[in-house]
Amino acid sequence: LDEQDVSVTLTKTEDGYTLSYNGSDVAFTSADLIDGDYEKYATAGDTGSGEIATLYALGGFDAEHATTSEVLASPRVMVPLRFILQMNGSEISDGLTADSQVLGYTVVGYKTDPADMPTSGTATYIGTGEFAFYAINRGDTADDVNRLDLYGNTNMAVDFDAGTLGAILDITSTTTYTGDGASETVDVSDAGYAMEFGGAKISGSEISFVDNGEDSWGTGNEALDNYLAEGPLADGIGPEVSGSGSFYGANAESAALVLSGSSSTHVLQGVLWGDLQE
């Protein structure tokens, strides 16, 4: 889980998708669909053991598009996805422990042609987002928080004149995973927790974000900082965060940003996405 330059691509195939992670591939086909989501096992149809990878869509679900396969086949111009891989070194493998799991995010969609991007004015994108913090050194007791997930609502403010994007994730729930195999989800929608990202740069239809680490990306939200410091991430948070994203659709109707970072104690992975508000 040490920080590294990660390359992730998702390619449509005749019968599914191929996920490439740092040059190692896993092919999801219709045989790997379980209740509409992709779950890859060492032996097709064997859901008891030997899980290799999962792939499922985040957000945007409605009554007609309730599963990953349905969302990917929907008219949406952009779909954010979470994947979990079992890694043996640099190779995707199976039958390994939870310590070998790699969680990440990617986005598929129809990127906006740079020639069709707005060049003036402001815009707001509303959606959702989530982040996962992994402890680099994991424990095996109920007191060891090995992973913390944050979920919430995203508000992206775009200034096309300045070529900048700022985002806020208002956190509505958290899930902690401890060393004894237990997990707990808590509704924190009234706690006032929020993560802020400012100064992302827009070039054409691409978005880039780089935090130099001088200020925490959580700056300005004392409630969240106190919660993380006193509880799940008592050993420190503050990773330097960077990320990239894009605008999607014919007229920049959607936007998404995938972020990652690491500190001496944790690795962070996350995604923010939203749709243009008229």
Side-chain angles (χ1 to χ4, degrees):
L1 290 174
D2 291 337
E3 184 180 19
Q4 56 181 311
D5 293 329
V6 175
S7 172
V8 179
T9 60
L10 188 68
T11 305
K12 183 73 176 72
T13 62
E14 184 176 350
D15 190 34
Y17 295 84
T18 296
L19 177 68
S20 298
Y21 180 88
N22 277 6
S24 189
D25 298 340
V26 57
F28 296 96
T29 70
S30 57
D32 301 314
L33 283 171
I34 299 176
D35 296 329
D37 296 320
Y38 288 101
E39 299 182 21
K40 186 79 172 182
Y41 290 82
T43 302
D46 177 14
T47 60
S49 62
E51 186 174 43
I52 296 174
T54 63
L55 178 72
Y56 59 92
L58 306 172
F61 295 172
D62 54 35
E64 295 181 358
H65 308 108
T67 67
T68 296
S69 58
E70 291 169 346
V71 172
L72 286 171
S74 76
R76 285 189 60 86
V77 297
M78 173 271 295
V79 176
L81 298 138
R82 173 192 268 200
F83 61 85
I84 299 177
L85 305 175
Q86 293 279 17
M87 301 295 295
N88 182 5
S90 62
E91 300 295 326
I92 297 173
S93 187
D94 68 282
L96 303 177
T97 67
D99 286 347
S100 62
Q101 287 185 353
V102 171
L103 178 150
Y105 300 92
T106 189
V107 179
V108 294
Y110 301 97
K111 291 186 178 181
T112 304
D113 188 322
D116 295 331
M117 283 290 297
T119 57
S120 63
T122 60
T124 300
Y125 292 77
I126 300 294
T128 50
E130 65 177 70
F131 282 80
F133 293 85
Y134 275 93
I136 294 174
N137 298 312
R138 302 186 184 187
D140 57 7
T141 74
D143 294 327
D144 296 313
V145 177
N146 291 337
R147 179 175 136 201
L148 169 68
D149 290 356
L150 306 177
Y151 310 92
N153 299 315
T154 298
N155 184 311
M156 297 182 182
V158 178
D159 185 332
F160 290 111
D161 290 291
T164 59
L165 178 150
I168 297 176
L169 177 69
D170 290 316
I171 299 166
T172 56
S173 65
T174 67
T175 301
T176 54
Y177 299 84
T178 50
D180 60 349
S183 63
E184 180 182 20
T185 299
V186 178
D187 183 340
V188 296
S189 53
D190 295 328
Y193 300 157
M195 294 169 63
E196 301 179 15
F197 300 86
K201 302 297 189 294
I202 299 169
S203 177
S205 59
E206 301 299 311
I207 306 166
S208 61
F209 176 85
V210 177
D211 176 16
N212 61 14
E214 294 178 359
D215 298 307
S216 166
W217 39 258
T219 294
N221 189 257
E222 185 177 357
L224 176 62
D225 289 343
N226 289 341
Y227 162 72
L228 295 176
E230 295 174 4
L233 301 181
D235 293 333
I237 52 170
E240 295 184 15
V241 178
S242 62
S244 61
S246 299
F247 290 90
Y248 296 86
N251 298 296
E253 62 192 81
S254 296
L257 182 63
V258 176
L259 295 145
S260 63
S262 68
S263 69
S264 61
T265 59
H266 291 86
V267 171
L268 171 152
Q269 300 286 340
V271 63
L272 305 170
W273 69 94
D275 295 327
L276 178 65
Q277 304 301 293
E278 300 294 342

